[in-house]
């Protein structure tokens, strides 16, 4: 394996349901890395012509240059030999338009304000989604229960309705964390139209939706991903959703 590559590549369970959209490209790329290839080279070898970026070694990023600004200026994605950047590259391969849009807005904010100690509202929202976001295509009844944090209704009473839903993870940090699944893991989900069937269609749609001021307020809803029916065997056990440390009740309204 390339120097610095985490042995946790071996721990990826490509049969996991959340990896279904990523398996076709991701598994062969991971095998290249496990066979000794650098992550950026393995990603680049799998990149279709439509992807507007090149994957470069981390050393290509000059000292003192902001990561997002460098990507925007050069169309090169500095990539380390680890799971985090591997999954980031997979998202670039599947959602190139959305990733380019996120990068554009980040670069615009950096050009306008510099790299601040604290990100502004838009940059913060973009980062949250880029690292931990997901798209949920689901009937209105599921969305109503999710927004109300009515976990019993969402996951138990309406459980059969999940057969009509699809959750597509986007955040590369979330994908990395799910290599070692733990019950408290939460995605920040954004609603997507059920009529869009392909990942390419979702990419084109989402790239048009990412904009200020709509995203400044983080229009996402927290979802404990391992509570999704069919995603983790443990959630079939009675009482799984009674854990208030994970399935938290809605916040009380402030006193008048």
């Amino acid at each position: 394996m390339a120097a610095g590559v985490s042995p946790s590549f071996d721990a990826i369970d490509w049969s996991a349901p959340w990896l279904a959209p990523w398996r076709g490209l991701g598994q062969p790329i991971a095998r290249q890395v496990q066979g000794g290839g650098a992550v950026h080279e393995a990603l680049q070898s799998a990149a279709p012509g439509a992807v507007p970026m090149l994957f470069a070694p981390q050393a290509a990023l000059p000292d003192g240059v902001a990561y997002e600004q460098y990507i925007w200026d050069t169309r090169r994605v500095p990539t380390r030999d680890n799971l985090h950047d591997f999954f980031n590259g997979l998202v670039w391969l599947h959602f190139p338009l959305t990733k380019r849009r996120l990068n554009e807005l980040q670069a615009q904010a950096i050009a306008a304000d510099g790299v601040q100690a604290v990100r502004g509202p838009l940059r913060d929202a973009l980062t949250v989604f880029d690292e931990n976001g997901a798209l949920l295509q689901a009937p209105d009844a599921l969305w109503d229960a999710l927004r109300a944090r009515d976990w019993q209704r969402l996951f138990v009473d309406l459980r059969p309705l999940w057969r009509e839903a699809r959750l597509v993870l986007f955040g590369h940090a979330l994908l990395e964390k799910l290599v070692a699944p733990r019950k408290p893991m939460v995605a920040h989900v954004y609603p997507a139209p059920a009529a869009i069937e392909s990942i390419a269609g979702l990419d084109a749609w989402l790239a048009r939706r990412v904009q200020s001021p709509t995203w400044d307020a983080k229009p996402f809803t927290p979802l404990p991903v391992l509570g999704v029916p069919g995603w983790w065997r443990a959630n079939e056990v009675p009482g799984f959703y009674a854990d208030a440390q994970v399935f938290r009740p809605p916040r009380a309204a402030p006193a008048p």
Side-chain angles (χ1 to χ4, degrees), residues 13-94:
D13 177 8
W14 289 104
S15 69
W18 51 85
L19 289 179
W22 313 99
R23 188 178 305 132
L25 278 178
Q27 192 167 16
I29 295 171
R31 285 176 181 151
Q32 288 188 52
V33 175
Q34 290 169 297
V39 172
H40 76 278
E41 292 173 343
L43 288 166
Q44 191 59 48
S45 70
V51 174
M53 311 303 295
L54 295 174
F55 297 98
Q58 180 67 20
L61 178 64
D63 291 340
V65 176
Y67 171 81
E68 295 285 357
Q69 190 67 56
Y70 176 82
I71 293 173
W72 180 253
D73 291 341
T74 67
R75 293 180 175 262
R76 302 177 78 204
V77 181
T79 303
R80 299 165 296 181
D81 286 322
N82 59 27
L83 278 178
H84 189 84
D85 286 11
F86 165 74
F87 282 114
N88 182 51
L90 277 189
V91 180
W92 268 106
L93 293 178
H94 288 80

Side-chain angles (χ1 to χ4, degrees), residues 65-182:
V65 176
Y67 171 81
E68 295 285 357
Q69 190 67 56
Y70 176 82
I71 293 173
W72 180 253
D73 291 341
T74 67
R75 293 180 175 262
R76 302 177 78 204
V77 181
T79 303
R80 299 165 296 181
D81 286 322
N82 59 27
L83 278 178
H84 189 84
D85 286 11
F86 165 74
F87 282 114
N88 182 51
L90 277 189
V91 180
W92 268 106
L93 293 178
H94 288 80
F95 285 86
L97 300 178
T98 300
K99 288 287 282 186
R100 186 64 172 161
R101 177 60 175 158
L102 294 173
N103 175 234
E104 177 184 22
L105 292 174
Q106 291 273 19
Q108 286 176 355
I110 291 170
D113 304 320
V115 178
Q116 303 291 326
V118 178
R119 296 186 184 95
L122 179 59
R123 283 200 69 209
D124 191 37
L126 298 174
T127 301
V128 166
F129 193 78
D130 192 29
E131 297 280 347
N132 214 56
L135 295 170
L136 178 60
Q137 299 167 288
D140 290 344
L142 291 181
W143 266 108
D144 291 344
L146 174 59
R147 291 187 175 112
R149 299 193 183 187
D150 188 343
W151 308 116
Q152 173 70 29
R153 179 165 172 76
L154 176 65
F155 290 126
V156 180
D157 300 344
L158 298 177
R159 200 172 186 86
L161 203 55
W162 279 92
R163 289 193 287 267
E164 301 176 26
R166 179 169 68 154
L167 179 65
V168 178
L169 303 188
F170 181 94
H172 55 281
L174 179 60
L175 288 162
E176 177 194 14
K177 288 185 287 187
L178 280 166
V179 171
R182 292 187 302 108

